[in-house]
């Protein structure tokens, strides 16, 4: 904390003491009721949130970890303690959990690697266009944001039928315009990844675009004017004014998009059923199947913790990346 | 937030909530079962395992409300609703609160709800789930109901009757049986000059060839997901194989018979009768649209096709292999452990099951085959569209009553069938790797459930 921040409660309440007054001062401090209140005030303000946070975040985290140390099937009365076996199983290729888990991690990685860059760049382009003045701008903004309003169930069922290889309208119209009309969008890789990433970008780009748009509107117009006066062309203005101005927003969007992509579940659950085989079955999908359908809560909890660890490392890396740039 | 992408951008919260099944802080410590194995503890503490009080046949206690869960979301739903209404009209002191949940979600939610004391008192479930839920002590024995109704093996086929028994106790009262069947569209069949529905492998292939010759490029679409695994099981049984060992510790669907069954399915694609990459449900939608003249599906689709106005013929699945067999399942009534300790509820639940079991002829309207022989032989059933299937009830095959088998099958056998029919793997390779995985899961289940 820098010296310019306002004095803390302690600094106000207890000014620097001369050594000879120290003893007197401590004896005087104890009986004072006002001091107790001043100590409790911030906590009282935090209390409502802390209760929710404790009940719905901290307690489940601790409980989840406890579950991960057991052979945990909640419908059975016995939940034997297994120590770290659920974790070591994940790293033992002979166990029944390791295969599906790492396949899921791989599927999630593929999805994240392809969806995140697109979800950062395409919405930025859309936001820049939306930020221009032209007729029908509001309609344009609404059109791009509209898909985001729909839930994953609607999106999944809709695209499952549109993209069907044999009866889908996408292949039909591709055939009409002379393109191949037998592309297995949902039952073969890499086509299924194209479909899943494509649908996700179409669906959620509106959200990122709106955040970018808010960021763009925060960049002072004078900067652009000054750049113009200095003879900067459109690209140079974008490179040197827009991008730096968007940095905090970009950092937020990147983080949120990565987390959302790693958590992808609904699209592959509804559109591809994890097909072909289990190749598009993401890690969240695997965890759901393991814990909620097969009642192997212990294994599922252990998988979640390993995934969380990966996600934390990834988030730190992103955080660090954006901080570095800021310092430069 | 951008959380529609997955479960939530605030990952830790949502994920852990999911895993904790909404566990509040108070439940923190409650879950520890000490050092006992699951089976041991289950043996000692099963509140629901005791045989229930004997059943008198009537209920004349105070007013009681029964929570009744089922998964009749399709064309069968309205028939069940009518039965429930009729029951309540006849029994003023029993109120039925019906809750209909899709079967796919049902087996996930029901045990959780019963564990929390907010589940059904009585309900319907599939035969192949009875053992699982009995082992989990979610449901309680109903031997006395069977005795009181006077049901014996002779009333049913031995297969249906015995599959409801787990560890010497009966857990389900069969309501109906339903199997895979063959649907066809009359118009293209006539155009191809086919007057008799094929009954064996040879006539089936001949029919497909004639349909092809008459202008249907792909007459029989091979699904890769549901009901592909049911087709595979039917063919495996027809070849004389068994998917699982009798004691429930080993998967045997990668046997010679299994490979031959899956090879037949793959050949349907390779010989051009089916397009490649048939995604979930598209063979059925294409059938409804009139694009595919023949498809295999569950008999309960009768009402869906009727309400969609699709004229069709229903006939038994042809005998492709050496034996006449077809996959089947059965809806069974059960009582949960929630009712134990409340004798009024228990009695009322038994009265409900008894009553509805006697009314199963009405249930035939839902497209099912009544489980009771006496009902099956009524004209009402024999003249129904599923009549020809009902006549062949002895050919129906059911999965063995092994706890946890349904989940194992969904993770292994279904994946193997999908991989082979998507032409990603050869039938032998696909079945072999998934069968060894299934065996491992079954061994673990055996340990868990004892």
């Amino acid at each position: 904390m820098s010296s310019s921040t306002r004095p803390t409660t302690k600094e106000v309440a207890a000014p620097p003491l001369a050594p000879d007054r120290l003893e007197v001062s401590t004896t005087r401090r104890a009986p004072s009721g006002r001091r107790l209140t001043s100590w409790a005030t911030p906590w009282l303000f935090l209390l409502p949130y802390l209760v929710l946070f404790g009940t719905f975040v901290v307690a489940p985290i601790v409980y989840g970890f406890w579950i991960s140390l057991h052979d945990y099937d909640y419908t059975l009365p016995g939940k034997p303690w297994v120590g770290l076996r659920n974790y070591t199983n994940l790293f033992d290729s002979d166990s029944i959990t390791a295969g599906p888990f790492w396949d899921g991690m791989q599927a999630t990685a593929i999805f994240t690697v392809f969806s995140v860059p697109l979800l950062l760049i395409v919405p930025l382009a859309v936001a820049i266009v939306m930020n221009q003045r032209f007729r029908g701008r509001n309609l344009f903004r609404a059109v791009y944001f509209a898909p985001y309003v729909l839930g994953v169930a609607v999106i999944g069922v809709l695209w499952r039928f549109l993209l069907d290889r044999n009866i889908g309208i996408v292949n039909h119209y591709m055939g009409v315009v002379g393109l191949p009309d037998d592309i297995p969008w949902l039952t073969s890789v890499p086509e299924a990844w194209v479909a899943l990433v494509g649908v996700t970008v179409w669906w959620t780009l509106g959200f990122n675009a709106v955040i970018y748009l808010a960021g763009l509107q925060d960049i002072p117009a004078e900067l652009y004017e000054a750049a113009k006066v200095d003879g900067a062309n459109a690209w140079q203005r974008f490179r040197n004014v827009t991008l730096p101005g968007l940095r905090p927003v970009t950092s937020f969007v990147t983080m949120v998009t990565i987390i959302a992509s790693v958590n992808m579940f609904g699209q592959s659950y509804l559109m591809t059923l994890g097909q072909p085989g289990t190749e598009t079955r993401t890690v969240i999908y695997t965890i759901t199947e393991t814990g909620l359908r097969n009642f192997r809560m212990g294994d599922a909890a252990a998988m979640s913790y390993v995934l969380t660890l990966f996600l934390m490392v990834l988030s730190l890396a992103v955080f660090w990346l954006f901080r570095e740039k800021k310092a430069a | 937030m951008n959380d529609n992408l997955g479960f939530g951008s605030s990952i830790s919260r949502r994920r852990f909530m999911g895993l904790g099944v909404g566990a509040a802080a108070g439940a923190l410590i409650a879950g520890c079962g000490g050092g006992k194995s699951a089976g041991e503890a289950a043996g000692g503490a099963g509140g629901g395992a005791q045989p229930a009080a004997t059943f008198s046949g009537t209920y004349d206690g105070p007013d009681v409300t029964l929570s009744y869960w089922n998964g009749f979301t399709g064309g069968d739903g309205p028939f069940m609703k009518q039965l429930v209404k009729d029951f309540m009209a006849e029994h003023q002191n029993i109120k039925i609160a019906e809750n209909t949940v899709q079967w796919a979600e049902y087996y996930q939610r029901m045990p959780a709800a019963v564990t929390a004391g907010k589940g059904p008192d009585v309900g319907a479930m599939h035969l192949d789930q009875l053992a699982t839920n009995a082992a989990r002590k979610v449901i309680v024995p109903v031997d006395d109901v069977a005795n009181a109704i006077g049901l014996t093996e002779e009333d049913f086929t031995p297969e249906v009757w015995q599959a409801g028994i787990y560890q010497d106790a009966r857990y389900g009262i069969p309501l109906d049986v339903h199997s895979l069947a063959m649907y066809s569209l009359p118009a293209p069949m006539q155009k191809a000059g086919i007057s008799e529905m094929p009954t064996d492998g040879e006539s089936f292939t001949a029919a497909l060839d004639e349909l092809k010759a008459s202008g249907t490029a792909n007459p029989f679409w091979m699904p890769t997901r549901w009901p592909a695994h049911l087709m595979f099981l039917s063919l495996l049984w027809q070849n004389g194989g068994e998917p699982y060992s009798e004691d429930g510790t080993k998967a045997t669907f990668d046997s010679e018979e299994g490979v031959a069954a899956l090879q037949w399915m793959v050949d349907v694609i390779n010989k051009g009768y089916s397009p490649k990459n048939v995604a979930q449900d598209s063979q059925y939608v294409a059938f409804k649209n009139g694009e595919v003249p023949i498809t295999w599906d569950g008999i309960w689709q009768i009402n869906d096709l009727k309400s969609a106005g699709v004229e069709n013929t229903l006939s038994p699945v042809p005998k492709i292999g050496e034996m006449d067999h077809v996959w089947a399942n059965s809806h069974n009534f059960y009582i949960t452990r929630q009712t134990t300790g409340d004798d009024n509820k228990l009695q009322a639940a038994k009265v409900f099951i008894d009553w509805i079991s006697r009314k199963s002829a009405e249930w035939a309207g839902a497209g099912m085959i009544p489980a009771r022989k006496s009902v099956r032989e009524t004209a009402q059933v024999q003249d129904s569209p599923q009549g020809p299937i009902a006549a062949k009830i002895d050919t129906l095959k059911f999965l063995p009553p092994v706890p946890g088998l349904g989940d194992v099958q969904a993770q292994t056998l279904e994946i193997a069938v999908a991989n082979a029919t998507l032409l990603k793997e050869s039938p032998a390779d696909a079945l072999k790797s998934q069968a060894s995985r299934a065996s491992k899961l079954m061994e673990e289940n055996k340990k868990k459930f004892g």
Side-chain angles (χ1 to χ4, degrees):
Chain A
M1 200 152 286
S2 73
S3 56
S4 65
T5 38
R6 82 191 159 76
T8 63
T9 333
K10 204 191 261 172
E11 283 165 335
V12 175
L17 302 166
D20 55 327
R21 289 189 56 197
L22 190 61
E23 211 175 319
V24 186
S25 165
T26 28
T27 49
R28 214 178 40 161
R29 186 180 291 184
S32 163
R34 213 184 55 204
R35 258 176 240 290
L36 179 69
T37 5
S38 60
W39 172 85
T41 308
W43 291 101
L44 282 172
F45 272 110
L46 282 173
L47 192 66
Y49 178 73
L50 274 183
V51 169
L52 292 176
F53 183 77
T55 312
F56 295 109
V57 181
V58 178
I61 286 176
V62 176
Y63 188 33
F65 184 67
W66 177 255
I67 288 175
S68 77
L69 303 175
H70 294 77
D71 189 351
Y72 199 98
D73 180 333
Y74 69 88
T75 66
L76 295 179
K79 300 170 180 74
W81 168 270
V82 294
L84 292 175
R85 199 189 69 196
N86 289 335
Y87 290 91
T88 52
N89 275 350
L90 291 179
F91 298 95
D92 171 7
S93 54
D94 284 337
S95 80
I96 50 170
T97 49
F101 175 69
W102 292 107
D103 288 350
M105 288 292 268
Q106 194 191 338
T108 294
I110 292 172
F111 180 79
T112 308
V113 163
F114 287 99
S115 70
V116 171
L118 284 171
L119 278 170
L120 292 180
I121 294 163
V122 179
L124 178 59
V126 171
I128 287 170
V129 178
M130 282 198 229
N131 203 26
Q132 312 295 317
R133 294 183 181 282
F134 57 91
R135 267 173 72 90
R137 182 173 73 162
N138 284 338
L139 177 73
F140 185 74
R141 287 180 179 178
V143 163
Y144 271 89
F145 192 72
Y148 188 69
V149 176
L150 303 173
V152 69
V154 179
I155 298 297
V157 173
L158 179 73
W159 283 99
R160 184 178 117 198
F161 283 107
L162 292 178
L163 290 171
D164 191 284
R165 176 192 184 269
N166 298 299
I167 56 172
I169 203 166
V170 171
N171 272 353
H172 175 74
Y173 279 113
M174 283 179 71
V176 168
V177 298
L179 293 165
D181 64 352
D182 59 349
I183 297 173
W185 292 110
L186 303 175
T187 51
S188 188
V189 282
E191 291 90 338
W193 286 123
V194 174
L196 288 169
V197 170
V199 167
T200 306
V201 169
W202 167 79
W203 178 32
T204 59
L205 75 85
F207 176 80
N208 285 359
V210 165
I211 307 275
Y212 275 131
L213 186 61
L216 285 173
Q217 288 170 349
D218 264 359
I219 300 173
E222 303 87 72
L223 290 181
Y224 288 103
E225 276 166 31
K228 259 188 200 161
V229 170
D230 287 345
N233 61 25
W235 168 250
Q236 285 167 327
R237 287 199 299 275
F238 173 74
R239 178 77 190 72
N240 296 310
V241 180
T242 310
L243 278 188
L246 281 179
R247 189 165 290 148
V249 169
T250 312
S251 150
F252 168 76
V253 170
T254 309
M255 203 79 99
V256 167
T257 306
I258 287 179
I259 291 172
S261 292
V262 171
N263 282 331
M264 195 273 261
F265 165 75
Q267 296 94 310
S268 65
Y269 187 73
L270 293 163
M271 284 168 56
T272 63
L273 283 176
Q275 294 229 73
T278 54
E279 282 186 63
T280 59
R281 184 177 283 196
T282 60
V283 69
I284 297 284
Y285 193 157
T286 307
I287 291 170
T288 312
E289 289 282 307
T290 310
L292 296 179
R293 204 169 286 280
N294 304 321
F295 301 96
R296 307 168 65 91
M297 303 297 220
D299 286 321
M303 289 177 185
S304 303
Y305 277 93
V306 175
L307 174 65
T308 308
L309 199 69
F310 271 88
L311 209 51
M312 280 163 78
V313 171
L314 196 64
S315 299
L316 281 177
V318 172
F319 201 58
W320 177 80
L321 208 70
F322 278 93
R323 275 178 72 91
E324 278 301 289
K325 275 188 195 155
K326 211 173 194 172
Chain B
M1 294 306 288
N2 203 1
D3 65 3
N4 286 336
L5 270 176
F7 269 152
S9 44
S10 166
I11 36 145
S12 45
R13 181 180 62 215
R14 296 283 183 82
R15 172 128 30 81
F16 292 122
M17 274 187 67
L19 287 171
V21 205
L28 248 168
I29 315 295
C32 178
K36 284 191 229 174
S37 85
E40 256 176 281
Q50 286 82 23
T54 43
F55 174 54
S56 61
T58 53
Y59 175 73
D60 41 23
D63 286 4
V64 65
T65 300
L66 290 179
S67 166
Y68 166 49
W69 285 32
N70 63 60
F72 303 121
T73 52
D76 41 12
F79 290 88
M80 183 49 76
K81 287 215 161 44
Q82 189 57 46
L83 282 173
V84 168
K85 221 189 242 172
D86 293 348
F87 174 81
M88 285 198 285
E90 275 182 42
H91 298 80
Q92 295 295 335
N93 55 351
I94 305 175
K95 195 172 171 295
I96 305 286
E98 197 183 0
N99 181 21
T100 306
V101 182
Q102 255 191 52
W103 289 120
E105 308 294 321
Y106 190 87
Y107 299 113
Q108 205 172 324
R109 269 198 229 168
M110 200 273 290
V114 172
T115 305
K118 296 193 187 306
D121 301 309
V122 58
M125 71 163 70
H126 287 107
L127 186 69
D128 57 359
Q129 290 282 346
L130 283 172
T132 309
N133 286 289
R136 291 187 193 284
K137 315 271 179 215
V138 172
I139 57 178
V140 296
V142 287
D143 292 278
D144 58 333
V145 183
N147 292 336
I149 306 174
L151 295 177
T152 58
E153 189 169 322
E154 282 81 62
D155 293 317
F156 300 89
T157 67
E159 286 248 10
V160 181
W161 185 245
Q162 274 158 19
I165 299 173
Y166 174 69
Q167 292 186 346
D168 300 328
R170 162 158 303 281
Y171 283 89
I173 303 290
L175 172 68
D176 65 45
V177 291
H178 46 269
S179 70
L180 201 63
M182 179 161 66
Y183 290 91
S184 59
L185 298 174
M189 299 296 274
Q190 270 165 15
K191 192 178 158 203
I194 305 164
S195 51
E196 297 261 313
M197 284 308 293
T199 54
D200 55 20
E202 214 173 299
S203 56
F204 186 69
T205 317
L208 295 184
D209 284 331
E210 279 161 34
L211 282 163
K212 259 186 110 108
S214 73
T216 308
N218 301 121
F220 181 59
W221 290 17
M222 183 55 65
T224 57
R225 297 304 287 229
W226 211 94
H229 60 292
L230 309 181
M231 295 170 70
F232 169 72
L233 284 169
S234 300
L235 294 165
L236 166 71
W237 277 315
Q238 289 193 354
N239 289 343
E242 278 296 335
Y244 306 100
S245 70
E246 213 167 297
D247 61 352
T249 53
K250 204 171 175 308
T252 53
F253 55 74
D254 60 341
S255 60
E256 220 175 286
E257 294 86 358
V259 175
L262 197 48
Q263 188 62 53
W264 184 86
M265 291 171 70
V266 171
D267 284 345
V268 167
I269 304 168
N270 287 338
K271 288 178 186 158
Y273 298 125
S274 165
K276 290 175 189 169
N277 294 299
V278 176
Q280 56 168 333
D281 294 342
S282 58
Q283 83 289 344
Y284 184 67
V285 175
F287 178 78
K288 274 169 109 174
N289 292 347
E291 272 180 72
V292 187
I294 297 181
T295 197
W296 295 2
D297 214 307
I299 56 169
W300 57 93
Q301 296 294 356
I302 292 170
N303 282 310
D304 183 58
L305 291 171
K306 203 197 277 171
S307 64
V310 181
E311 200 193 330
N312 66 88
T313 316
L314 186 66
S315 54
V317 164
K319 186 182 131 191
I320 307 288
E322 287 145 33
M323 274 162 266
D324 204 354
H325 281 313
V326 65
W327 168 91
N329 209 335
S330 156
H331 290 123
N332 280 244
F333 278 101
Y334 63 84
I335 295 177
T336 67
R337 70 156 185 251
Q338 251 179 235
T339 55
T340 51
D342 186 340
D343 279 343
N344 288 331
K345 273 197 173 177
L346 190 60
Q347 284 300 323
K350 287 174 179 177
V351 169
F352 177 63
I353 295 180
D354 179 19
W355 184 89
I356 217 159
S357 165
R358 291 174 201 277
K359 293 278 175 185
S360 58
E362 273 91 329
W363 184 236
M368 310 288 176
I369 300 168
R372 282 192 184 195
K373 199 172 172 189
S374 54
V375 179
R376 221 162 44 233
E377 283 163 358
T378 60
Q380 197 177 351
V381 174
Q382 289 189 333
D383 298 341
S384 69
Q386 68 267 35
I389 321 282
K392 292 183 74 178
I393 195 154
D394 294 326
T395 65
L396 305 188
K397 288 285 261 180
F398 300 83
L399 283 175
V402 176
L405 191 60
D407 295 330
V408 172
Q409 179 162 294
Q411 295 178 73
T412 55
L413 184 143
E414 289 184 31
I415 303 292
V417 172
N419 275 344
T421 49
L422 286 171
L423 312 180
K424 302 282 172 208
E425 272 185 282
S426 75
D429 290 347
L431 289 171
K432 192 165 174 239
S433 64
Q434 292 300 336
S436 84
R437 193 172 141 71
S439 293
K440 273 188 199 167
L441 287 166
M442 290 170 79
E443 268 165 44
E444 291 217 352
N445 278 347
K446 188 88 184 168
K447 255 185 263 163
K448 187 154 102 174
F449 296 116

